[in-house]
């Protein structure tokens, strides 16, 4: 295998002069405070090698990357029935768009836009109090990352709760269509807390290993999902993981990935590695600008691509 440490060091050095490009997500007050001049990279291979550069040990808000973990949990609970509540098509619109929902009768396009993720949180909430559903998610993330120290940043959850007008609108709209089964406040309580999970790049890359290794974390031996389900989650990440930038990400990087407005991206090189990058400055569609650039460079240097096996 290529010298991954040399590659991540080179990418970090090449992007250093660009630190601070893009705009932090200022619609969430707590995220607006994050110093944009940070960049972390971590690659964890399926053999257990870890290569890191820059701010790979700094905690950040994983935001929408949590949607991958919630989707995994929801599929575990209700299986294919989940697809009665949410679609599997790219949305071609912004992460928080409400327009499509009206046309499509409250069934969100996919589990990775906000509306879809809120419907998925509603599924995970079934039979639970909100606190228990949040606990289940946190326990799951700790399990897949094999790291008991991962926690939720309550200040981020509060910050989103007090300013999440659009998410309240999306949730109320879906409730009106009968596609939320629990009170809006409960579902959003779960959703805002899942978005507020704090991780660093190494923890996040480890958490994604099950997707890189046919559903089983090769370092712990923990079986998380079947190989078929891991493949399908990866397919959704590739087609829908970057909102209205999903096509461009697939074109430039060629790996399944999921971004969050905290500036993190989890990417999967199936059979090879799980990769996490983080840089808070976002591009126009809400994906980490330097994080995407770093992954494009990594894919070019390693040749990793799901289109070239
Ligand atoms: N918590 C964010 C929101 O709901 C997540 C968006 C994202 O990371 O893309 O607005």
């Amino acid at each position: 295998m290529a010298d991954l440490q040399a590659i991540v060091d080179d990418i970090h050095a090449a992007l250093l002069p660009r630190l601070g490009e893009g705009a932090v997500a200022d619609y969430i007050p707590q995220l607006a405070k994050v110093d944009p001049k940070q960049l972390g990279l971590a690659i964890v291979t399926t053999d257990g090698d870890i290569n890191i550069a820059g701010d790979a040990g700094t905690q950040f808000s994983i935001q929408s990357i949590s949607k991958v973990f919630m989707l995994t949990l929801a599929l575990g609970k209700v299986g294919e029935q989940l697809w009665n509540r949410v679609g599997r098509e790219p949305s071609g619109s912004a992460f928080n768009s409400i327009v499509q929902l009206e046309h499509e009768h409250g069934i969100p396009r996919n589990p990775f836009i906000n509306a879809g993720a809120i419907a998925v949180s509603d599924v995970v909430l079934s039979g639970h109090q909100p606190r228990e559903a949040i606990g289940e998610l946190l326990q799951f993330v700790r399990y897949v990352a094999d790291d008991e120290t991962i926690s939720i940043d309550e200040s981020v959850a509060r910050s989103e709760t007090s300013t999440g007008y659009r998410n309240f609108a999306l949730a109320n709209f879906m409730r009106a269509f009968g596609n939320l089964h629990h009170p809006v406040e409960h579902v959003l309580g779960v959703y805002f807390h899942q978005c507020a999970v704090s991780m660093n790049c190494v923890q996040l890359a480890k958490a994604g290993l099950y997707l890189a290794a046919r559903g089983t974390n090769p370092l712990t031996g923990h079986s998380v999902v079947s190989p078929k389900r891991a493949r399908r989650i990866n397919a959704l990440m590739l087609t829908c993981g970057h909102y209205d930038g999903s096509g461009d990400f697939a074109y430039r990087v060629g790996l399944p990935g999921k971004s969050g407005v905290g500036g993190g991206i989890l990417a999967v090189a199936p059979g090879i590695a799980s990769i996490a990058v983080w840089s808070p400055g976002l591009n126009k569609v809400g994906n980490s600008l330097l994080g995407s650039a770093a992954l494009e460079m990594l894919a070019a240097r390693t040749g990793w691509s799901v289109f070239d096996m």
Side-chain angles (χ1 to χ4, degrees), residues 88-268:
R88 299 192 293 262
E89 291 297 338
S91 68
S93 53
F95 66 96
N96 53 9
S97 171
I98 200 163
V99 181
Q100 251 164 10
L101 263 187
E102 167 100 67
H103 290 304
E104 297 174 0
H105 310 290
I107 307 291
R109 271 288 168 101
N110 67 65
F112 293 151
I113 51 173
N114 285 11
I118 292 167
V120 169
S121 300
D122 186 67
V123 169
V124 173
L125 183 53
S126 234
H128 285 312
Q129 290 302 315
R131 194 179 296 111
E132 294 165 344
I134 296 162
E136 189 178 353
L137 184 258
L138 189 58
Q139 209 178 2
F140 179 73
V141 173
R142 287 174 174 171
Y143 174 74
V144 288
D146 193 27
D147 188 330
E148 288 298 315
T149 67
I150 295 167
S151 63
I152 290 175
D153 184 334
E154 284 294 336
S155 67
V156 173
R158 270 198 304 277
S159 184
E160 278 210 69
T161 308
S162 59
T163 57
Y165 310 111
R166 262 184 175 270
N167 289 321
F168 276 100
L170 291 168
N172 277 303
F173 210 52
M174 284 191 289
R175 179 97 169 145
F177 276 109
N179 197 21
L180 284 195
H181 300 169
H182 300 89
V184 163
E185 294 70 28
H186 289 190
V187 183
L188 287 182
V190 175
Y191 174 76
F192 290 140
H193 279 83
Q194 74 183 61
C195 289
V197 170
S198 270
M199 292 171 89
N200 62 39
C201 288
V202 177
Q203 291 168 327
L204 184 59
K206 283 187 177 169
L209 266 181
Y210 71 99
L211 295 170
R214 300 172 58 80
T216 296
N217 181 326
L219 307 187
T220 60
H222 293 158
S223 165
V224 184
V225 292
S226 67
K228 179 173 161 188
R229 183 157 290 166
R231 241 183 348 256
R232 289 181 155 179
I233 295 170
N234 284 336
L236 289 164
M237 287 170 72
L238 185 82
T239 51
C240 311
H242 281 74
Y243 307 118
D244 204 13
S246 300
D248 190 54
F249 187 83
Y251 180 82
R252 287 167 50 192
V253 179
L255 298 173
K258 181 74 203 86
S259 69
V261 293
I265 303 177
L266 170 65
V268 176

